[in-house]
Amino acid sequence: MNPILNISTYKFTPLADTAALRDELEARALALNLKGTILLAEEGINLFLAGPAPDVRAFVAQLQADARFADIAPKESWSASQPFRKMRVKVKGEIIRMNHPTIRPTEGRAPAVDAFTAKRWLDQGHDDEGRPVVTLDTRNTYEVDEGTFAGAIDWRLNKFTEFPDALQAHKSELADKTVISFCTGGIRCEKAAIYMRESGLPHVYQLEGGILKYFEETGGTHYEGGCFVFDERRALGADLSTVGIAEPSAQA
């Protein structure tokens, strides 16, 4: 069994103490010899960590002791070696940059569809009301090229801040469809789904937990290729095993 536990998770929740929290989480992670990236902003937390399972789970337990993060449920995968080079904890303007300050998931999420329901809709080709279902990839081009859902809409984004303009250019194409917005772990497709709803598209859902949760719960049916991840593994297959090598970064 591979000895290194890798986790990713995020939570949109108001944080007024980002500087103090940065110092606290950095000290905890270093004390447990963990490596990875934690991003903090007034809108919440986004993290990728790796290390021996007892140490990673001890960190998660400490995090969940804070009422703001009590319901965090990290997605897990395993690797033979540490995929991160160092531990970084940063305070940012947004935990995922969209440059649309009116999009505030802390004030209410877009409706979500779980992996099993998404698979069922894709199996039958329509939602429970008979409306055609499409999947919309909110990730960057190089991520999509590693793998995506069969037939997914791909607007060839170079960065997530391009998503609002891309939607406005293509919104009419989605008007009569149920749209499943998806990304690696859920964070980008959550913001994207809110933006689409506020732009007048009523039948938009975020894929709960993103591609990684879909892999975990369905085995990757309807998905082709691997899922790009932001560490040295590069990509994961539908069984959450390592596919390749990449440079570490931080998205979701």
Side-chain angles (χ1 to χ4, degrees):
M1 180 176 178
N2 292 328
I4 301 299
L5 175 61
N6 301 267
I7 64 167
S8 64
T9 191
Y10 74 95
K11 176 69 181 291
F12 286 111
T13 185
L15 300 178
D17 58 342
T18 52
L21 189 58
R22 174 194 59 205
D23 294 342
E24 179 182 340
L25 295 183
E26 183 175 51
R28 288 184 195 171
L30 291 175
L32 291 166
N33 295 312
L34 302 181
K35 294 182 180 180
T37 300
I38 301 175
L39 302 181
L40 300 168
E42 291 183 0
E43 67 180 5
I45 186 172
N46 183 20
L47 66 84
F48 298 80
L49 292 175
D55 299 328
V56 173
R57 291 187 171 133
F59 183 91
V60 172
Q62 291 174 343
L63 189 63
Q64 291 169 331
D66 185 324
R68 297 171 296 183
F69 309 123
D71 59 349
I72 271 184
K75 291 170 284 295
E76 298 186 352
S77 61
W78 298 85
S79 60
S81 60
Q82 171 60 256
F84 295 100
R85 297 174 184 172
K86 56 186 175 182
M87 186 67 236
R88 299 184 295 179
V89 185
K90 298 182 177 181
V91 175
K92 311 280 280 185
E94 299 175 81
I95 54 174
I96 183 66
R97 185 181 172 195
M98 193 184 202
N99 288 347
H100 267 262
T102 60
I103 304 302
R104 301 181 66 85
T106 56
E107 297 176 359
R109 302 185 68 197
V113 60
D114 62 48
F116 296 112
T117 301
K119 177 184 177 299
R120 179 167 58 80
W121 285 359
L122 293 174
D123 286 343
Q124 62 196 28
H126 57 79
D127 67 11
D128 295 335
E129 297 177 356
R131 188 177 297 107
V133 173
V134 296
T135 54
L136 173 61
D137 204 324
T138 65
R139 299 173 301 157
N140 298 332
T141 299
Y142 61 89
E143 299 169 76
V144 179
D145 289 346
E146 193 71 48
T148 189
F149 280 96
I153 296 169
D154 167 24
W155 289 332
R156 300 278 86 187
L157 304 176
N158 294 308
K159 51 188 176 181
F160 188 53
T161 52
E162 297 175 0
F163 181 85
D165 286 343
L167 174 66
Q168 296 308 318
H170 296 278
K171 187 169 70 169
S172 63
E173 303 165 17
L174 305 176
D176 59 346
K177 299 176 176 64
T178 288
V179 181
I180 299 176
S181 167
F182 71 92
C183 57
T184 307
I187 187 170
R188 279 178 284 187
C189 49
E190 180 160 351
K191 276 195 171 182
I194 293 172
Y195 182 79
M196 286 190 282
R197 286 261 177 169
E198 293 190 357
S199 296
L201 294 173
H203 307 296
V204 175
Y205 300 85
Q206 65 196 66
L207 180 60
E208 187 72 52
I211 298 165
L212 296 180
K213 179 58 70 173
Y214 186 86
F215 279 0
E216 180 183 333
E217 296 189 349
T218 73
T221 304
H222 300 289
Y223 193 95
E224 298 176 343
C227 178
F228 188 96
V229 289
F230 291 86
D231 58 53
E232 292 186 353
R233 294 173 295 171
R234 176 172 174 171
L236 300 180
D239 60 355
L240 297 177
S241 64
T242 302
V243 173
I245 302 295
E247 292 297 314
S249 184
Q251 299 274 340

